[in-house]
Amino acid sequence: MISEAEEAEESATPGFAPSELHEVIWTAAAAHWTTHQYRVAVREASEALTVHWKERLGRNDVTDTSFWQQTLSAGEPEPGKPNLAWPGPAEDQTAKSMRGGLAPLAGALNNLATGLNLTVRNVATHTRDELTEQEGMERLAAYSYFARLLDQCEIRRAEEPGGT
């Protein structure tokens, strides 16, 4: 590792440390990554992110793809079905701009979640084809980026009947 770091420094190649990925992603992937089981590392990371958010939102009542579609929908949350929304005060200019882009952003996050679930998680789960280190790294990076976007969102819950 030291020689790789020195070589990268000399060549001006940017370094990449998988351990700097989002904590949920790397914690799930690390044991498999270090044994060069990249497909399993990606699968475990994707599962961990979904489990993390299902637990946070109390949503163990739905399949993974439906969970992401409901959680990232642009509409108002329904009772028992919280969703995530981009944060910011309504009077703030930047927040207003983000609100204007909220529907496309929510759609993009929803499509990213659904797309990652179908093309990465499902493929890693249902095939035995091993990934190269580069392929695994790219997939983990996509999940890490997605996880960081989700961390910036607000959890919105519907008012329960009879609530204040």
Side-chain angles (χ1 to χ4, degrees):
M1 292 177 81
I2 293 172
S3 64
E4 288 177 9
E6 289 171 350
E7 186 179 313
E9 186 177 308
E10 291 172 12
S11 70
T13 302
F16 180 81
S19 61
E20 295 298 315
L21 293 170
H22 188 278
E23 182 181 5
V24 170
I25 301 306
W26 183 243
T27 299
H32 303 288
W33 189 266
T34 57
T35 59
H36 307 285
Q37 297 175 315
Y38 305 120
R39 179 187 59 79
V40 176
V42 169
R43 183 193 69 216
E44 292 300 309
S46 68
E47 300 264 338
L49 184 63
T50 301
V51 167
H52 171 78
W53 279 99
K54 278 185 165 185
E55 287 176 355
R56 241 180 118 179
L57 299 178
R59 291 297 317 272
N60 288 316
D61 61 333
V62 65
T63 65
D64 295 353
T65 300
S66 293
F67 167 75
W68 288 116
Q69 290 169 341
Q70 293 170 14
T71 300
L72 296 169
S73 68
E76 291 299 314
E78 298 176 21
K81 296 180 181 180
N83 65 17
L84 298 174
W86 200 259
E91 65 280 355
D92 181 79
Q93 282 300 92
T94 302
K96 285 180 185 178
S97 179
M98 290 301 293
R99 294 284 186 259
L102 185 58
L105 178 63
L109 287 174
N110 192 346
N111 287 334
L112 179 61
T114 300
L116 285 172
N117 197 52
L118 294 173
T119 65
V120 177
R121 181 252 175 220
N122 286 359
V123 172
T125 299
H126 302 299
T127 68
R128 296 292 171 238
D129 298 336
E130 189 52 72
L131 299 172
T132 67
E133 183 177 27
Q134 182 66 34
E135 291 167 333
M137 201 178 325
E138 290 168 357
R139 285 159 177 80
L140 286 182
Y143 276 107
S144 182
Y145 176 64
F146 181 51
R148 291 187 197 283
L149 286 175
L150 294 175
D151 284 349
Q152 294 178 61
C153 290
E154 295 175 334
I155 297 172
R156 299 184 325 157
R157 299 181 189 278
E159 253 188 61
E160 297 295 327
T164 55

